[in-house]
Amino acid sequence: DLRKPLAGRRAVVTSGPTHEPIDPVRYIANRSSGRQGHAIAAALAQLGAEVTLVSGPTRLPDPPGCTVRHIETAREMLAACEAALPADIAVCAAAVADWHVAGPSDRKLKKDGGGPPALELAENPDILATLSAPGGRRPALVIGFAAETGDVLAYATAKRARKGCDWIVANDVSPGTGTFGGSDNTVHLIRADAVESWPTMTKEAVAARLAEAAAAYFERI
Ligand code: C5P
């Protein structure tokens, strides 16, 4: 593809899980593979965008043509995103942990006979909502994801409004769909005034189509 419709545009993409430390050797995490987010970063770069991918720990190689910032925690992810601004496009595809451990131990917790430790959790920043907040540095096009298990369109539409983002890519992650860690995805693109339901395709194809939609958005404004 020799067309570079996103040349001169900057994009920041989040991908993968976050790891939230409990102590120096243990953490809280989730099963996100990072495949969809990494594919989106590559697809935006392919269309000519200058892409910063902010990635939690994954088993994936860095996608070609992107600057990659490797982080572990949600708070590090937010800081790396903010450092990548200004940007025209933000895509939040990461599965960010909702909570971190308040005051993680700086020594390995021991089984000392006193029973299991109680972990106190504290809320993580919402990166999508933060990037969507009005202000001079808000990217013109902010895209979030919504992984739902039933009533996908209703929940995702409500999420778009609550987060303040422009578009939501909604997918059904009910057990049996194979979306988590799988190669395919079935998504709906939810904008302010329209919902498009896309056929099941590979995560790379979803990424390419989303990057084309972003390019079309900038052609229109
Ligand atoms: O609230 P929920 O996790 O369902 O929203 C999903 C969307 O919000 C995804 O785009 C995800 O990347 C983003 N998100 C975020 N920071 C959080 C939680 C979710 O950017 N702390």
Side-chain angles (χ1 to χ4, degrees):
D1 192 348
L2 297 175
R3 290 178 315 111
K4 300 287 179 208
L6 290 174
R9 302 285 178 189
R10 291 167 52 86
V12 53
V13 179
T14 72
S15 185
T18 64
H19 285 186
E20 309 293 338
I22 296 169
D23 67 17
V25 299
R26 303 183 179 97
Y27 55 82
I28 297 173
N30 62 66
R31 296 185 189 281
S32 168
S33 67
R35 289 179 66 160
Q36 186 63 80
H38 277 54
I40 289 166
L44 291 168
Q46 173 103 45
L47 294 189
E50 194 183 310
V51 179
T52 300
L53 171 63
V54 180
S55 177
T58 75
R59 303 166 62 90
L60 302 173
D62 288 353
C66 303
T67 299
V68 185
R69 304 280 178 236
H70 293 277
I71 54 78
E72 293 197 352
T73 70
R75 289 162 292 166
E76 290 164 358
M77 184 173 274
L78 176 60
C81 286
E82 287 182 326
L85 297 180
D88 303 286
I89 305 168
V91 184
C92 291
V96 183
D98 290 318
W99 307 287
H100 63 269
V101 177
S105 173
D106 51 16
R107 295 175 181 207
K108 185 181 172 192
L109 297 175
K110 296 286 188 201
K111 222 172 4 177
D112 61 4
L119 294 182
E120 193 191 326
L121 300 179
E123 207 151 312
N124 270 334
D126 189 311
I127 296 157
L128 176 59
T130 304
L131 295 177
S132 297
R137 281 159 73 85
R138 186 194 190 281
L141 180 59
V142 182
I143 306 172
F145 274 71
E148 308 288 355
T149 55
D151 271 331
V152 176
L153 292 181
Y155 282 118
T157 301
K159 186 163 293 179
R160 197 189 76 84
R162 190 169 66 246
K163 302 268 188 171
C165 59
D166 300 291
W167 301 351
I168 284 270
V169 180
N171 56 352
D172 190 339
V173 295
S174 303
T177 61
T179 302
F180 269 120
S183 58
D184 287 358
N185 212 348
T186 312
V187 309
H188 312 269
L189 178 60
I190 297 170
R191 313 183 204 220
D193 50 3
V195 175
E196 280 177 26
S197 295
W198 294 358
T200 299
M201 50 187 136
T202 63
K203 290 178 178 176
E204 287 72 23
V206 168
R209 188 158 169 177
L210 188 64
E212 291 289 354
Y217 172 86
F218 283 104
E219 268 156 34
R220 260 181 271 116
I221 63 170

